[in-house]
Amino acid sequence: MASVVRSGAWKALKNGSTSESFVHLHRFQTLRVRSFSATMSPPSKAVVYEQHGPPDSVTRVVELLPVEVKENDVCVRMLASPINPSDINRIEGVYPVRPQVPAVGGYEGVGEVHSVGSAVKGLLPGDRVIPSPPSFGTWQTYIVKDQSVWYKVNKESPMEYAATITVNPLTALRMLEDFVTLNSGDAIVQNGATSIVGQCIIQIARSRGIRSVNIIRDRTGSEEVKQKLRKLGADEVFTESELEVKNVKSLLAGLPEPALGFNCVGGNAASLVLKFLRQGGTMVTYGGMSKKPITVSTSSFIFKNLSLRGFWLQKWMSADKAKECRGMIDYLLDLAREGKLKYEMEVTPFDDFHIALDKALGKQGSQPKQIIKF
Amino acid sequence: MASVVRSGAWKALKNGSTSESFVHLHRFQTLRVRSFSATMSPPSKAVVYEQHGPPDSVTRVVELLPVEVKENDVCVRMLASPINPSDINRIEGVYPVRPQVPAVGGYEGVGEVHSVGSAVKGLLPGDRVIPSPPSFGTWQTYIVKDQSVWYKVNKESPMEYAATITVNPLTALRMLEDFVTLNSGDAIVQNGATSIVGQCIIQIARSRGIRSVNIIRDRTGSEEVKQKLRKLGADEVFTESELEVKNVKSLLAGLPEPALGFNCVGGNAASLVLKFLRQGGTMVTYGGMSKKPITVSTSSFIFKNLSLRGFWLQKWMSADKAKECRGMIDYLLDLAREGKLKYEMEVTPFDDFHIALDKALGKQGSQPKQIIKF
């Protein structure tokens, strides 16, 4: 698998060479290799980790040897790739599905076709592509994988949206479609509304006439956050403490009781979503930012007939969804191009990867989604 | 509605007559009434409550005036009716759907047709009938309701099973059929396995080749309880403390991981059901005996893809299920007649209603289901 670090480069590291001497050795080897074969990729600069642990201490940027571009392979020069929370969890070793170490980090991104094998059809150098379904090892400058991995996207799609479209926006879209049939005029409720998925839910719902009730945590500047979410299309935004009332539904004003709720926080914030749901409603859990479990009364199940479900994009992907997935990517990138799907991102040059990583790890307070530009 | 206490009788009580003087007055009136009309029911002796509260203090047995048997009515002499936990909750006023007070207690039972109105078809005096769907006010000696309420059952059905078939066994049957498609060889897991519903689940599952993993609370004599449940067809029975192991599934021996679980306890016992479930499994909550909520980790939803649902027979009934319901009653009564569906009951004469009620309230420790014989 191309996501496994190329063994030659890896051996050099294991033999105790410093990263600097390794890079020199590596470049020397690279030149030698390229001299006798035209079907090799360029060397790749990659974020690798040899063992699981805190991402800021186990990852380093190394240069990897060129690999052969076989007849069905496409060599892609990566342009941009995000640092998603799940990428961090994979490096930490706490994510149930992750590549074997040593591994290159990353799971989604966008690139440009650099070269193609002799049997490749429909992709040409210069094409803008994303791995779809997403695929491990996107934090590197050149990736060689089978042509089936790559999906050509509209070159006019904003680069940072193409880089991030298959994890967060797709999660939002699937969750809006897969659990409850929603019609224009219906409402949903969610906590963690400021997360990227949360923002996508607000906007995709809005584009379909679906109203949203949004719960955010108490924080300084919450009025500003509310304004921002309302601007995206949120109908109602409440802080958790504003919902310390006897009957949260009395705050719904003209909105219908939500049939569907989303939880990415757990604890009290999950209970608040449940309180808003209508009789027979469904809450879908897709994250647990508070690290607290979800607590539900017996009567919520029996008398209120609530259903609690979960969503995990990676599991959904593992079914044979490639084709379906690609159609949705076009839909979502169209929304992004039209300005109907927006979220904050910060683009950081690859050389500053560890600064971006620190931000993604929350070491500098709340920060926008970090996008590595290669 | 016939479930409302007849107003004449009720006025007498409200006017402060003692229950003894009331009965005398009532009998006198009855005789007078019957003398000029042949279409009246006999007077009825009933368990009534005028306000919500502790069932042993708010209920009393009174005699009610005869009521008219209209052309579509059937007058049934009740033979037997159980005291179900939901009957107690309705009297306490803590059940979401309950008759308006003053009311006669009870929700299911069996009786014999005493007389029929002139337009009644298909029912004759002497027929054995149950109210189906069940219907409020079964704790009385004579009930007059529209013919559509009554369903004729096989006279050879054991009386106490006919009296109890529409609440507990039907709950067990619906829960086995409505959430997950189970095939012979599949397994289910449940807590509260000694409850009547739990015992029915074991036996109905067994009759379909479905294996059961059963969780009981720690108690003295648990070996005896295990024996009893195994005799009913339970494949595995564990006490909660026996499940304090790292991986409960290692205890499954040859059984498949259960796809469906039932929870009527909450708290730790609910968590144990969740632990046994296979990837993508469903837990259905239908009771909360421990009065503790259900706590679920985020990863159970995301990575294990569990679904949590609820079941409430009364809600299920309120949809237009009368016909479907009656077919299932025949099926369940057949099982009972064949000895394939058994559970412990204690039959108590109506005169000792308050003794049975104390037992049903748990005042005398664990007791079999109490059946009032009229």
Side-chain angles (χ1 to χ4, degrees), chain B residues 211-363:
Chain B
R211 326 288 294 269
S212 68
V213 178
N214 299 276
I215 304 169
I216 60 174
R217 66 174 195 278
D218 291 278
R219 66 185 100 193
T220 50
S222 62
E223 273 314 312
E224 214 172 84
V225 173
K226 286 183 181 186
Q227 277 301 98
K228 202 184 121 190
L229 294 182
R230 283 205 196 92
K231 224 171 151 183
L232 291 181
D235 292 276
E236 296 289 349
V237 189
F238 302 104
T239 62
E240 285 189 40
S241 64
E242 286 170 347
L243 297 173
E244 284 165 10
V245 297
K246 203 163 175 195
N247 178 11
V248 297
K249 290 184 182 171
S250 65
L251 304 171
L252 277 179
L255 294 186
E257 292 182 31
L260 181 60
F262 302 112
N263 164 47
C264 67
V265 180
N268 178 56
S271 302
L272 292 171
V273 168
L274 294 174
K275 281 185 186 170
F276 269 113
L277 285 180
R278 78 172 184 210
Q279 179 82 24
T282 297
M283 181 173 86
V284 180
T285 290
Y286 69 98
M289 287 194 284
S290 73
K291 298 195 190 294
K292 288 181 190 148
I294 297 137
T295 301
V296 198
S297 69
T298 298
S299 66
S300 296
F301 288 117
I302 302 181
F303 302 132
K304 206 177 164 186
N305 192 26
L306 298 185
S307 291
L308 270 65
R309 311 278 301 273
F311 181 79
W312 185 24
L313 187 76
Q314 199 168 325
K315 165 83 181 161
W316 180 87
M317 288 287 185
S318 67
D320 186 22
K321 300 283 187 182
K323 205 174 161 187
E324 207 178 324
C325 178
R326 291 174 174 190
M328 292 184 294
I329 282 163
D330 289 338
Y331 165 78
L332 291 165
L333 282 177
D334 283 351
L335 285 181
R337 249 196 332 278
E338 292 161 12
K340 291 180 185 160
L341 187 67
K342 288 183 280 197
Y343 40 88
E344 242 181 286
M345 291 178 272
E346 183 180 2
V347 177
T348 303
F350 193 19
D351 284 346
D352 293 334
F353 171 77
H354 278 94
I355 296 172
L357 180 63
D358 279 353
K359 288 185 179 174
L361 288 168
K363 291 193 175 177

Side-chain angles (χ1 to χ4, degrees), chain A residues 82 84-87 90 107-108 134 163-172 197 311 313 317 369:
Chain A
N84 284 320
S86 51
D87 295 323
R90 281 189 200 94
Y107 183 55
E108 65 172 336
T164 56
I165 207 76
T166 42
V167 172
N168 287 322
L170 196 51
T171 294
V197 173
F311 182 78
L313 187 76
M317 289 287 185
K369 167 80 70 190

Side-chain angles (χ1 to χ4, degrees), chain A residues 40-328:
Chain A
M40 300 302 280
S41 75
S44 183
K45 212 165 112 188
V47 178
V48 298
Y49 53 103
E50 198 177 355
Q51 61 194 46
H52 295 297
D56 49 353
S57 60
V58 299
T59 58
R60 53 177 134 181
V61 178
V62 299
E63 206 160 292
L64 302 176
L65 290 176
V67 292
E68 194 185 343
V69 181
K70 296 196 185 114
E71 59 175 355
N72 285 304
D73 283 346
V74 174
C75 174
V76 172
R77 181 172 73 84
M78 291 302 286
L79 299 171
S81 177
I83 305 178
N84 284 320
S86 51
D87 295 323
I88 289 170
N89 296 149
R90 281 189 200 94
I91 298 170
E92 291 168 337
V94 299
Y95 212 69
V97 177
R98 51 183 193 256
Q100 281 207 308
V101 289
V104 176
Y107 183 55
E108 65 172 336
V110 65
E112 194 176 81
V113 173
H114 175 263
S115 63
V116 299
S118 58
V120 169
K121 283 175 188 161
L123 287 176
L124 291 170
D127 281 349
R128 187 70 54 93
V129 291
I130 64 174
S132 171
S135 155
F136 298 132
T138 53
W139 292 348
Q140 56 180 322
T141 51
Y142 287 93
I143 303 178
V144 176
K145 288 195 179 182
D146 189 87
Q147 59 179 329
S148 63
V149 168
W150 302 104
Y151 180 55
K152 183 175 164 180
V153 297
N154 190 324
K155 237 180 179 161
E156 282 159 32
S157 308
M159 185 186 69
E160 65 274 27
Y161 284 92
T164 56
I165 207 76
T166 42
V167 172
N168 287 322
L170 196 51
T171 294
L173 178 61
R174 288 317 335 138
M175 293 201 303
L176 280 166
E177 292 197 346
D178 288 353
F179 295 92
V180 168
T181 303
L182 295 171
N183 298 309
S184 180
D186 289 343
I188 62 96
V189 56
Q190 66 170 339
N191 60 31
T194 58
S195 70
I196 304 276
V197 173
Q199 293 182 49
C200 292
I201 285 171
I202 291 169
Q203 294 170 88
I204 299 170
R206 177 63 156 219
S207 75
R208 298 170 172 205
I210 295 159
R211 326 288 295 269
S212 67
V213 178
N214 298 275
I215 304 169
I216 59 174
R217 66 173 194 278
D218 291 277
R219 67 186 100 194
T220 50
S222 61
E223 272 313 310
E224 215 171 84
V225 173
K226 286 184 179 183
Q227 277 301 100
K228 203 184 119 190
L229 295 181
R230 283 205 196 94
K231 224 171 148 184
L232 291 180
D235 292 276
E236 295 288 349
V237 189
F238 302 103
T239 62
E240 285 188 41
S241 64
E242 285 170 347
L243 297 173
E244 284 166 8
V245 296
K246 202 163 177 196
N247 178 12
V248 298
K249 290 185 182 171
S250 64
L251 304 171
L252 276 179
L255 294 185
E257 292 182 31
L260 181 60
F262 302 112
N263 163 47
C264 66
V265 181
N268 178 56
S271 301
L272 291 172
V273 168
L274 294 173
K275 281 185 187 171
F276 269 114
L277 286 179
R278 77 170 184 214
Q279 178 83 22
T282 297
M283 180 172 86
V284 180
T285 290
Y286 68 98
M289 288 195 284
S290 72
K291 298 195 190 295
K292 288 181 191 151
I294 297 136
T295 301
V296 197
S297 69
T298 298
S299 66
S300 295
F301 288 117
I302 303 181
F303 302 132
K304 205 176 163 188
N305 191 26
L306 297 186
S307 290
L308 270 65
R309 312 278 300 273
F311 182 78
W312 184 24
L313 187 76
Q314 198 166 325
K315 165 82 182 164
W316 181 85
M317 289 287 185
S318 67
D320 186 21
K321 299 284 186 183
K323 205 174 162 187
E324 206 178 325
C325 179
R326 291 174 174 190
M328 292 185 291

